[in-house]
Amino acid sequence: EALIGARITDREAWIAKYTSKAASAVSVPASSSEALIGARITDREAWIAKHTSKGQKKLKVAINGFGRIGRNFVRCLESRGPACPMEIVAINDSGGVKQATHLLKYDSILGTFKADIQVTGEDTFTLNGRTIKVVANRDPLKLPWAELGVDIVIESTGVFIDEAGAGKHLTAGAKRVVITAPGKGEIPTYVIGVNADDMTGLEPIVSNASC
């Protein structure tokens, strides 16, 4: 499921690149024609539709560290719409639910987030009707990833960037970890548009390069 989800995301990004308003500014290989690009878009859209059926279970995502990078991830994921194969189920933020929701809604650079955000409890809020749990624990080993069935942790604290640190999320029950900073040691780095196609989806910990 993690591999399928990663491939869907990659194909969606490719489609967006060639169908955006700025598509005319995108460098298209000389060997490619508009008809060929169109055919590839159609083919990839069909593949996505096939693997994102209404009954497909979405990948559960948790965010560790709800600074600007963590909040930007939420905005990006939400912009993909209901067909997105991932959903956010938890956020680890020491500031609590009120601070997390306020900063998510209002950003001094990106402006007001056009989403319905409602605080529903001492440790929960809803984002466009979907419940997200907010926890506050600086020790990844004590986070409820197993209890929540977390598939992927977005590690955006900038602290746990080696195998020992990021690996604590795996010990806590998560299946995969994506670091939003350069990883240390043998952690592989993948960047969309550069080498994302080399990713197998089986790597327990990866880096998405620098924020």
Side-chain angles (χ1 to χ4, degrees):
E1 288 185 0
L3 177 57
I4 292 296
R7 288 180 174 175
I8 288 173
T9 300
D10 183 47
R11 282 162 172 74
E12 286 178 333
W14 189 94
I15 291 171
K17 175 180 178 181
Y18 286 101
T19 57
S20 66
K21 293 181 180 179
S24 58
V26 176
S27 177
V28 178
S31 59
S32 300
S33 65
E34 290 186 4
L36 179 57
I37 292 297
R40 287 181 175 175
I41 289 175
T42 300
D43 180 59
R44 294 188 180 201
E45 286 178 334
W47 191 93
I48 290 172
K50 177 181 178 181
H51 291 85
T52 53
S53 61
K54 293 182 179 180
Q56 184 182 23
K57 181 181 177 181
K58 291 192 175 186
L59 296 172
K60 295 182 178 181
V61 178
I63 301 174
N64 189 49
F66 208 49
R68 176 154 276 142
I69 300 305
R71 298 194 299 271
N72 281 3
F73 175 83
V74 174
R75 287 184 176 231
C76 179
L77 197 66
E78 197 65 18
S79 72
R80 295 175 182 268
C84 179
M86 297 178 285
E87 62 179 354
I88 299 170
V89 297
I91 291 168
N92 184 33
D93 180 62
S94 59
V97 66
K98 291 184 178 180
Q99 175 178 292
T101 53
H102 180 82
L103 294 177
L104 177 61
K105 183 69 176 181
Y106 305 104
D107 190 286
S108 59
I109 295 177
L110 300 177
T112 302
F113 186 18
K114 295 180 180 179
D116 180 30
I117 301 173
Q118 303 289 335
V119 176
T120 55
E122 293 184 357
D123 62 354
T124 58
F125 71 95
T126 57
L127 175 60
N128 289 330
R130 300 184 304 279
T131 298
I132 296 176
K133 184 177 181 62
V134 178
V135 296
N137 199 313
R138 294 181 180 274
D139 183 358
L141 291 174
K142 297 179 180 180
L143 295 172
W145 301 157
E147 175 188 340
L148 297 174
V150 171
D151 295 296
I152 303 171
V153 170
I154 305 301
E155 171 48 57
S156 53
T157 65
V159 177
F160 305 102
I161 57 176
D162 58 13
E163 291 185 38
K168 292 180 179 180
H169 292 297
L170 303 178
T171 302
K175 297 180 179 67
R176 302 283 188 274
V177 180
V178 178
I179 303 172
T180 65
K184 291 184 177 180
E186 300 300 318
I187 295 175
T189 298
Y190 297 107
V191 180
I192 297 295
V194 179
N195 67 337
D197 289 341
D198 296 334
M199 184 176 177
T200 67
L202 300 177
E203 301 91 340
I205 305 172
V206 300
S207 165
N208 194 212
S210 176
C211 60

